[in-house]
Amino acid sequence: MTRDEIMDMEAKDIAALLNEKVAEGADKAGALEALGLTQADIMKAQVFWVKGEFKARAWAGYTSTKRSGNELGDSAQGVGGSDPSKGYAGV
């Protein structure tokens, strides 16, 4: 399987392929090398090395901190009319 074919797969499937290599005794670098992938490739695919195994991100997207316009009731001072300067009591 080529690198491009792997990158066209879903993140959970890429993680499964990489974890197969880990199960065969490869470390993180060895698993990536065996499939012809780089750290940048798996980051782009939303696959991460966590506690000795590869994990796919549960969902992609929603990573921006910019306001989307869906924040009903939010103001520049706080979320839903809360006052962040008052901490938890401002909710």
Side-chain angles (χ1 to χ4, degrees):
M1 187 175 292
T2 68
R3 176 196 164 277
D4 291 333
E5 290 172 335
I6 294 171
M7 292 301 293
D8 287 337
M9 297 169 64
E10 289 187 31
K12 63 181 178 66
D13 298 326
I14 296 172
L17 279 176
L18 288 163
N19 283 324
E20 286 176 15
K21 298 300 179 188
V22 171
E24 293 170 3
D27 60 355
K28 176 186 174 187
L32 291 172
E33 185 179 330
L35 295 177
L37 299 175
T38 65
Q39 177 66 35
D41 291 334
I42 64 168
M43 288 179 70
K44 183 178 178 182
Q46 300 290 302
V47 175
F48 304 96
W49 178 254
V50 180
K51 296 182 181 181
E53 68 178 324
F54 290 97
K55 295 192 181 238
R57 183 167 178 183
W59 62 86
Y62 298 105
T63 57
S64 175
T65 57
K66 290 185 176 183
R67 295 173 68 90
S68 65
N70 293 327
E71 300 84 4
L72 181 64
D74 291 3
S75 66
Q77 287 74 39
V79 177
S82 66
D83 184 353
S85 67
K86 295 180 182 174
Y88 183 75
V91 176

